[in-house]
Amino acid sequence: MTDPGGHATLCKWTTVRQGGDGPRATQLQQEAAMHVALWFVQILLAVVFLGAGGLKLFGSQETLRAKLGDLADAAPLPALRALGAAEVAAAIGLVAPQATGIAPILVVAAAAGIVIVGIGAAAYHRKRQEWGLMAFTLALALAASFVIWGHLSQ
C-alpha cells in the first residue's frame, strides 16, 4: 500500500520511500524494522502473560494444582489471584498504551515490572532446581528488557 507521496506504508506510524537508497531511507527502514520487532515482542509477551495471569485469576484450585504443581499449595489462593491480576495488567500495559497512543510510556513501565517479576521468578525456580522454568522466566525478562531498550532508545 502506498500513500500519495510514494511511500510504502508499513503501519500507522512508519513509512518508507519506495526505491530510496540514501541514508534517510536506510534509517527509515531500520526504524520500521525496530517498530515491527517491538510490536512482535510486546504481543508475544502479552499473550504469555494474559494466559498465565488468566489461569491464576480465574482458574479453580484443582486447575491451579494441575498447572502450577506445588506452587498452588504453597501460596495462598488470594496471593495467586493477585499475581494473576498483575500479569493480566502487564499484558494490557504492553499493548494498550501504544495501540491507543495514550501514555505510551506505560509500555516501558509494564515491561519493567515483567523484568522485576521475571528475575524473582528465576530465583524461585533456581532455588527449586527447576532449570527449564528458570531459563524460561529469564528469557521473558530478557524480552521485556528489549522492549524497554527499544522504547527508550527511540
Side-chain angles (χ1 to χ4, degrees), residues 4-6 9 42 45 58 61 67 77-79 81 125 127:
T9 303
Q42 285 169 228
L45 285 169
F58 301 113
Q61 189 70 35
K67 298 287 185 181
L77 188 58
R81 300 283 190 227
H125 292 302
K127 181 179 178 183

Side-chain angles (χ1 to χ4, degrees), residues 8 40 42 51 57 63 79 88 106 124 127 129 141 149:
F40 177 79
Q42 285 169 228
L57 194 55
T63 303
V88 169
L106 292 178
Y124 171 81
K127 181 179 178 183
Q129 297 183 350
W149 171 79

Side-chain angles (χ1 to χ4, degrees), residues 9-34:
T9 303
L10 296 177
C11 64
K12 178 177 166 182
W13 301 277
T14 307
T15 58
V16 178
R17 178 172 295 284
Q18 290 180 329
D21 56 2
R24 181 67 182 141
T26 302
Q27 181 183 3
L28 287 173
Q29 290 169 343
Q30 289 172 346
E31 289 173 8
M34 176 61 94

Side-chain angles (χ1 to χ4, degrees), residues 24 46 87 90 99 118 135 145 152 154:
R24 181 67 182 141
E87 289 173 338
S145 297
L152 294 180
Q154 291 181 347

Side-chain angles (χ1 to χ4, degrees), residues 68-128:
L68 302 177
D70 295 348
L71 181 61
D73 293 324
L77 188 58
L80 289 175
R81 300 283 190 227
L83 179 58
E87 289 173 338
V88 169
I92 294 168
L94 283 167
V95 176
Q98 188 175 356
T100 63
I102 300 171
I105 193 66
L106 292 178
V107 172
V108 174
I114 289 173
V115 170
I116 292 167
V117 171
I119 291 169
Y124 171 81
H125 292 302
R126 181 187 179 280
K127 181 179 178 183
R128 297 172 54 89

